[in-house]
Structure formats: structure tokens, C-alpha cells
Amino acid sequence: MDTRYIELSSIVNRLVFLDSPYGRAMRRWQPRADALVARGGGALAFCVHVTDAGATAERLRARGHGVELLTFAREGSPVSFREALLTDGPPWAPFFVTYEPDRQTILAKYSAGRVNRGPHDLAGILIETPDPRASADWLGELLGIPPGASPTVVPLPPDRP
């Protein structure tokens, strides 16, 4: 595909946590990851950048979802981020993140010369699920994205970084 997308499929993937500060903070997901690995793999979660994780959490709660809101900040670091994590979705459900300062400032000021997105930007995510069509419907509704040409593909806006 020439566009960015999330595809729901029965193909197996695998996700492994590194021993990093963030990986240790996400230990609550480790039982899910272990269960997925025991079954042969699968997507655990992926991130969707939003302009306000707090407002996103409130919007999702108003629609009946359980949401945990977390802030990650290291003392002395000029960069922090806030995440809204679904507590009632499938194990592969996305989480939503907002960076402070915004991503463009981080890339320009704090990562200048260290991050080169290059020509190999992520164009899609393939997610294993027993019912790809229902999962794509659920994800499209959660993200507010209308269905694409395929019933198992959730197209992402082309201007989304």
C-alpha cells in the first residue's frame, strides 16, 4: 500500500520489551505479552499521537471506555509525555500520547542531528486478531476514522506524522 494504514490480520507478530526505564514502567503489560508469546505472538499495543492526552482520555471515558492517564517525566529532563491507556479494550488496543514540548520542538531542539526519519518511515501496522473485520470496525470507531476500501484495513490520514 502507498498510504499509512493499520491492517488487522491472522498473521502472527511478536513484541519484546527491552530493559529500559520505559519498559520497566510498562510491566503491567508483561502478562499480556507473555500470554501472546505463549500462543505464538501477536501485537501488544501501538501509540497514536494526540494533541491532548487528557482531553482524549475524557472523550473516551464519555464514550464508556475505561482509561488510565499516566505522566512520564524524568527529573531534569526538558521532555515529558502523557499517555491515555485503555483498560477495557483488546490487548492490542492503541494508547494515546502527548509530548511536552510538542513533537516538532523535540525533533528540532532536542533531537536535532540525532533523528533522521529518512525514506523508511513506518507505513503500516499489521495486527493479529481472531476477527479482523470486527476488530477493524472497533478500531476505526475508536480512532474516529471512517472505513477504508478493505473491511480489514483502517486507513490513517496521509498528513499524520
Side-chain angles (χ1 to χ4, degrees):
M1 290 186 149
D2 293 331
T3 186
R4 295 171 190 255
Y5 65 96
I6 301 168
E7 182 174 352
L8 292 293
S9 169
S10 59
I11 295 175
V12 176
N13 300 309
R14 183 162 291 183
L15 180 64
V16 177
F17 283 117
L18 296 176
D19 185 27
S20 67
Y22 184 75
R24 288 188 296 274
M26 304 288 34
R27 285 197 177 139
R28 74 178 190 85
W29 277 341
Q30 196 61 53
R32 287 180 173 179
D34 292 342
L36 287 170
V37 169
R39 290 193 315 264
L44 181 60
F46 60 95
C47 175
V48 174
H49 178 257
V50 294
T51 56
D52 186 339
T56 298
E58 289 307 312
R59 177 181 60 81
L60 293 172
R61 286 179 183 134
R63 291 171 53 198
H65 292 283
V67 181
E68 183 178 358
L69 193 58
L70 303 169
T71 300
F72 293 89
R74 291 182 65 193
E75 188 174 328
S77 174
V79 176
S80 64
F81 57 97
R82 198 162 193 213
E83 292 181 348
L85 305 160
L86 288 173
T87 59
D88 62 349
W92 52 264
F95 60 96
F96 302 86
V97 66
T98 301
Y99 298 94
E100 181 62 41
D102 62 82
R103 293 178 62 228
Q104 287 71 27
T105 301
I106 292 170
L107 289 171
K109 186 172 181 179
Y110 301 107
S111 298
R114 294 189 295 168
V115 176
N116 177 5
R117 293 176 67 162
H120 304 291
D121 241 354
L122 179 66
I125 301 169
L126 182 63
I127 299 174
E128 171 195 14
T129 178
D131 188 346
R133 186 179 200 137
S135 296
D137 288 345
W138 178 87
L139 182 60
E141 191 274 325
L142 179 79
L143 299 176
I145 298 174
S150 167
T152 62
V153 173
V154 178
L156 296 179
D159 62 339
R160 188 171 260 176

